[in-house]
Structure formats: structure tokens, C-alpha cells
Amino acid sequence: MKSGSLRLRLGLAAAGLIALALALAGIGLTLIFDRVLDARTVDGLDRTAKFIAGQVTLAPDGSLSLPREPADPRYAAPYGGLYWQVEQEEGGGALRSRSLWDRSLGTVPDAPTEPAFGDLSGPDGGRLIAVTRRVTIPGHGGTVRLAVTAAEDRRDLAESRATFLRLLVPSLLALFAALTLAMSLFVRRALSPFRTLRTDLAAIHAGTRARLPETFPEEVRPLVADLNRLLDAQERDLERARTGAGDMAHGLKTPLAVLDALSRRVDGTDPALAAEIAEQAQAMGRQVERTLARARAASGGLRRRACPVAPAAERIVGALKRLPEGEALRWEIAIAGGLGFPGDEGDLTEILGNLLDNARKWAHRRIRVAGRVEAARGLLVLEDDGPGMSEAAIAGIARGRRWDESRPGTGFGIAIARDLAEGAGARMSFGRSDLGGLRVELDWPLPPA
């Protein structure tokens, strides 16, 4: 896709928005996971604090005792990551897990609701998430208020968070790829009416369709309607141009006939003047022919239809064989049956007639006509075994100029053929044939299948 492609722009915009949305979703999921992980940890620590609070007793000497400790082995390992502590708030004895070794855990400040939770400093300098429950137990002559704290090292939670991220990031990347692919398919589907429009326009250029269909989605129909109106307006303009050219040519016929009659009248008294008048009349006649040819070429416009090449070539060759020197030539025709020229039959007949007649005049024994489809283009090649032309002479071909006065003709046939070919969207080029003579090549784009 090119840099100016609408599909590329929409695809990149969609990919950027998807990436942004997934990044925000990843951040949100991470925050949610942290909250949930903290809540679950606090819940587990609170259960441990409740268990300890239910087990702690006050000995007759006023010391605290815990007949049954929590079963998790990390409470017994020095700096094991799980810690508990029981302290008398009014001062006195305290109980600690073996994991604290000889350190004190501290307590979480009072909170409006039980349990109070927050962060404390661990025995090895790490951060702990801790829960403190304040309870009272019966003692000698009254009650004793205790602070029961359970804590867990946040590094253990960080490992869980890292594991979550290791799963989350690939999942988001896979989701990004899937969503980007889906969006690409969606954009391609959404732009499919424009591809259909392009195909239909190519069919109009090729002459296989006259107007755009009305079957497009509602959002594209106004554009289609405008294009159809433009096609109608162009057709009207071309018709007016063709009519005007025809009127001009018709209007010049009478003055040309008068000039021709004058040249014959003065031929006996002033031959030089008669020759000059005749020459100017012929020049004007050639201009009329050229104007009519251009008008016919322009009139095809976007509405021309493809014309089969093979039948037209065979018909013209059959006619040329009956002309002088035509029967003595060997005509070789090899044109693919499906090859079509993007113009009407009259244009194709005049183009081939002028080119083949020129080949007939110069060929010694052989003329070859070949046509085929090549790389989505139509190709028509006309060759003869005549004297040919040098590259300099080919480069100097001018429309209407006769490059050899030894043969009859105005020299204007190839000019007309080239005007008609260009009007139909074809290119005409000249070169030297491997037969020895002139090679004329016509090629034109074919409509999409």
C-alpha cells in the first residue's frame, strides 16, 4: 500500500487506537490485580490474626502464651516472609514468631474498622503488608488488651505480580494482533465499494459499460450519481464537438470545390497559379480529413465499446488483396480471437486501413499482422519486408509530411491513424521489423477481468 492510501491511514489509526486501548486496559488490569492481591493477602493475614487471638492465653505470672502456632512453616523460618506478633498495649509481655528472630514487628495504627491494615517495616528491611487486630482477653482481676499483628513480605506479592504480568503482556500482544487483523479485514470490507467503483469506471473506460450501477451502499450513492451526471455531461459535450466538427467540414466542402474548379479554369492561362490553388485546396482538404478523424476519435469518449480486431483485419486484407500489387503479396494474419480494440469499428477500420495500405505500397513480398494479449495489454503489430526506414527517419516522421515522393498518397494516412489510436487510448510506435521493413506497433490497456 502506498503512503497516501486511505486503507493504510485507517489501518494505522485503528492499530494505534487498539494499542492505546490495550495499554490502558493492561494498566487497569494490573491495578485491579494489585488491589485483589492485597485484599486476598489482608484476608489471609486477618484469619491468621483471628486464629492467634483465639489461642493466646495469660499465664498466672502475667506472661503470654500461645499453645498452638500457625501451621505455615514460613512462620518458623528466620525471615521466612510470614510474621506474627502479640503485644500487650499497656506494656508487658509479647510473643513473636520465630521468623522475626530477635526483631520487633510493630503494629498498624488504629483504624475506624477492624482489622487495621497497612505497611510496616520488615525485620530484614523489606516492606510488609500487615494486619493488626486489637482484642481483649480475661486476666487476673480484669481484662488485658492485646494487639495481634500478622504480616507478609511484599516481595512474595511482587513475584505473584511478575507472574501475572508475564501472562498478561503476551495475552495483550496476541489480542492486539487479533484485533488489528480483524480491523484490517473490517477496513478492507468497508472500502470494498470503492474498489467496485474503480472496476466499474475501468469498464466505462474500456467501453463495456455506459453508466455506473445504482447498487452501491447509501453512503456512496451520491458520488455515483455525480459521476453519472458527469458522464452524461461529457457525452453531450462530445456530441456537440463532433457535430460542430462535421458542420465545419461540410461547410468547407463547397469552398474547396470552388477552388478546385478555379484551378482547372486558370490552368490554361496561368499554370503556376493553378498549381498553387490546387496545392492549397489539397492542404485544406487534408485538414478537413484530420479534423473529422479527431472528431470521430473524441466522440467515442468514455462510452466506446471494444471492437474485435481479427474480423476487421481480415476484412481489410481481403479488400487490399484486390488492389494493385496486393495479390502478389503474402499476407500473414495471426490475431488472437479474443483481442478487442477500445474503439468503434469505424475507427479500427480506418486505422488498420491506413497502416495496411501503407505496408502494401512498400512491401516486396510479405506483410505480417500479429495480435495478442500481453501483460494485461492488447498488442497489435504490423510489419512488412520493404526497404524500411532508418532510426533517424523514424524519429523524424511528421504528421502529414511525405517522406518519399516516389509513391502516391498524401502522407496523411498514418497521421490520421495515430490521431484515432490516441483518441481511443492506444499508443502507436514505429521501429524496424525483423522482416527488414517498417514495424508499427499498437498497444492499449485492457479492462480488468
Side-chain angles (χ1 to χ4, degrees):
M1 291 183 288
K2 298 181 179 179
S3 58
S5 168
L6 181 59
R7 180 183 171 190
L8 178 62
R9 293 179 182 179
L10 291 176
L12 291 177
L17 291 176
I18 290 172
L20 178 61
L22 291 179
L24 295 176
I27 294 173
L29 289 174
T30 303
L31 294 175
I32 293 172
F33 177 80
D34 288 341
R35 294 284 185 88
V36 172
L37 185 60
D38 283 355
R40 292 192 61 183
T41 302
V42 167
D43 185 63
L45 294 174
D46 185 44
R47 288 197 299 269
T48 300
K50 289 180 180 179
F51 172 80
I52 294 173
Q55 295 290 324
V56 67
T57 60
L58 191 65
D61 60 357
S63 63
L64 298 173
S65 64
L66 188 65
R68 182 182 172 191
E69 296 186 5
D72 196 312
R74 288 179 292 173
Y75 286 111
Y79 307 144
L82 283 176
Y83 312 95
W84 61 264
Q85 174 181 279
V86 180
E87 287 184 324
Q88 296 185 35
E89 291 194 344
E90 291 82 4
L95 293 175
R96 299 182 182 90
S97 63
R98 291 189 181 89
S99 57
L100 282 173
W101 200 243
D102 58 350
R103 302 287 183 132
S104 175
L105 189 60
T107 59
V108 179
D110 288 339
T113 60
E114 288 286 339
F117 66 91
D119 285 356
L120 297 175
S121 179
D124 58 352
R127 289 178 63 233
L128 308 178
I129 180 171
V131 171
T132 298
R133 273 197 171 271
R134 290 171 170 82
V135 298
T136 57
I137 61 173
H140 302 290
T143 59
V144 178
R145 187 171 176 82
L146 302 177
V148 181
T149 302
E152 182 174 350
D153 198 319
R154 281 196 175 274
R155 282 173 289 195
D156 295 339
L157 303 184
E159 292 179 4
S160 299
R161 185 175 186 272
T163 302
F164 171 76
L165 290 177
R166 282 195 295 269
L167 296 175
L168 177 64
V169 172
S171 299
L172 290 178
L173 291 177
L175 184 59
F176 171 78
L179 291 177
T180 301
L181 177 60
M183 184 57 67
S184 176
L185 295 176
F186 172 78
V187 171
R188 180 178 178 83
R189 176 65 178 171
L191 295 179
S192 61
F194 294 98
R195 291 193 297 273
T196 304
L197 178 61
R198 180 180 179 184
T199 302
D200 290 338
L201 285 174
I204 290 176
H205 279 285
T208 58
R209 183 186 291 275
R211 289 174 60 85
L212 295 172
E214 302 291 339
T215 57
F216 287 90
E218 183 178 353
E219 291 78 8
V220 187
R221 287 179 189 171
L223 175 61
V224 173
D226 288 342
L227 288 174
N228 280 331
R229 283 194 293 270
L230 179 62
L231 291 173
D232 293 337
Q234 184 180 39
E235 183 72 10
R236 290 191 297 270
D237 292 342
L238 290 173
E239 185 63 28
R240 284 195 294 268
R242 182 179 62 178
T243 303
D247 292 342
M248 183 188 72
H250 181 75
L252 289 174
K253 286 183 179 180
T254 300
L256 289 175
V258 172
L259 288 176
D260 185 62
L262 289 176
S263 67
R264 287 195 301 270
R265 182 180 301 177
V266 301
D267 184 45
T269 58
D270 193 344
L273 178 60
E276 184 176 354
I277 293 175
E279 181 180 357
Q280 294 302 318
Q282 291 176 1
M284 294 176 66
R286 291 196 298 268
Q287 285 294 337
V288 170
E289 292 178 8
R290 184 176 183 181
T291 300
L292 288 175
R294 284 181 169 177
R296 287 196 302 273
S299 66
L302 294 173
R303 305 295 179 88
R304 58 178 177 265
R305 294 187 178 274
C307 174
V309 178
E314 292 173 355
R315 185 172 61 255
I316 293 171
V317 169
L320 292 177
K321 284 181 179 180
R322 295 191 290 269
L323 295 178
E325 302 177 357
E327 295 181 353
L329 298 174
R330 187 174 71 183
W331 299 81
E332 300 175 4
I333 303 177
I335 301 176
L339 183 63
F341 182 76
D344 61 31
E345 186 176 356
D347 292 344
L348 179 61
T349 299
E350 186 156 2
I351 292 172
L352 291 179
N354 285 323
L355 296 178
L356 289 174
D357 186 55
N358 183 74
R360 178 189 63 83
K361 293 175 183 178
W362 294 97
H364 296 313
R365 291 180 300 275
R366 185 180 176 191
I367 295 177
R368 183 168 64 194
V369 183
R372 62 186 182 275
V373 176
E374 186 175 282
R377 297 185 71 88
L379 182 64
L380 183 63
V381 180
L382 297 86
E383 302 172 278
D384 63 70
D385 63 349
M389 301 175 63
S390 66
E391 294 183 3
I394 291 173
I397 291 177
R399 300 182 181 183
R401 189 184 71 192
R402 296 179 59 187
W403 48 84
D404 194 323
E405 300 288 343
S406 64
R407 300 296 173 96
T410 65
F412 216 70
I414 292 182
I416 293 176
R418 180 153 42 184
D419 283 342
L420 291 172
E422 291 176 352
R427 295 182 302 186
M428 181 181 294
S429 57
F430 302 90
R432 177 170 289 278
S433 168
D434 55 8
L435 300 180
L438 185 65
R439 171 188 172 97
V440 182
E441 185 174 301
L442 282 169
D443 73 286
W444 58 90
L446 295 176

